[in-house]
Structure formats: structure tokens, C-alpha cells
Amino acid sequence: MYIGRVGGTMVATIKDKTFAGHKLLVVDKLALDGQPTGKYDIAVDIVQAGVGDLVLVMDEGNSARQLLGQEPLGAVRAVIVGIVDRVDVEDER
């Protein structure tokens, strides 16, 4: 799992049936300081997130497929499972 920020949407006219009825969002992975890492995922949105939202992403294929009821097969690797209100990181000093 990781925290990310939704950077945009993904549109596909032809896609696997697993994605039917689900929005696909581009999520930038964030470091603990809140800065983008330069890595991203295309994630299935099940919580109605939008561009700019801070989100919690499940990026483990097996767990992601279980959330969508596609176990053991399915073309899903990342699912947005929550919209984050706040993150508190303890100072390491």
C-alpha cells in the first residue's frame, strides 16, 4: 500500500471486462514528505476519488483482485481504497 495523489484520468475505449463500470485514475506515488517519487500507477477507483485527491492505494495484485471480486483471475494490480484526509509523520530526531 502507498499514499499517492491523483494526477489524472485514463480513458480506454477497449478494455478488459474487469474494468467495466470503474473509473481508471493515474496516481503519483508520494514519499513520506509528500513529494512525488516519479513513479505512478493506473489504479481502479472504488471510492469516487478525483484529480488532486490524496488517496490510499492497494498495489498488490492479489488483494486488488479480491476487492473487485476477480480472484483468482483478473487484469487488476492497483485499486484506490481510500481518500486520505490527513497524514501525520513523527519527526525522526
Side-chain angles (χ1 to χ4, degrees), residues 55-74:
V55 294
L56 182 61
V57 178
M58 171 70 67
D59 67 338
E60 302 157 359
N62 188 41
S63 297
R65 286 188 296 274
Q66 287 178 11
L67 286 168
L68 294 173
Q70 298 296 322
E71 188 57 28
L73 302 174

Side-chain angles (χ1 to χ4, degrees), residues 8 10 14 23 26-27 31 36 39 42-43 45 60 64 68 72-74 84:
M10 170 67 73
I14 299 173
K23 186 169 43 171
V26 179
V27 180
K39 298 178 182 178
I42 309 279
D45 176 31
E60 302 157 359
L68 294 173
L73 302 174
V84 177

Side-chain angles (χ1 to χ4, degrees), residues 1-9 23-32 34-37 39-59 67 78-87:
M1 286 183 129
Y2 68 88
I3 295 173
R5 185 160 311 274
V6 178
T9 59
K23 186 169 43 171
L24 300 175
L25 298 175
V26 179
V27 180
D28 297 315
K29 293 182 179 184
L30 300 180
L32 282 179
Q35 297 301 310
T37 63
K39 298 178 182 178
Y40 70 93
D41 273 323
I42 309 279
V44 176
D45 176 31
I46 62 172
V47 297
Q48 301 304 310
V51 175
D53 282 346
L54 195 62
V55 294
L56 182 61
V57 178
M58 171 70 67
D59 67 338
L67 286 168
V79 175
I80 297 172
V81 295
I83 297 175
V84 177
D85 294 320
R86 185 174 95 195
V87 177

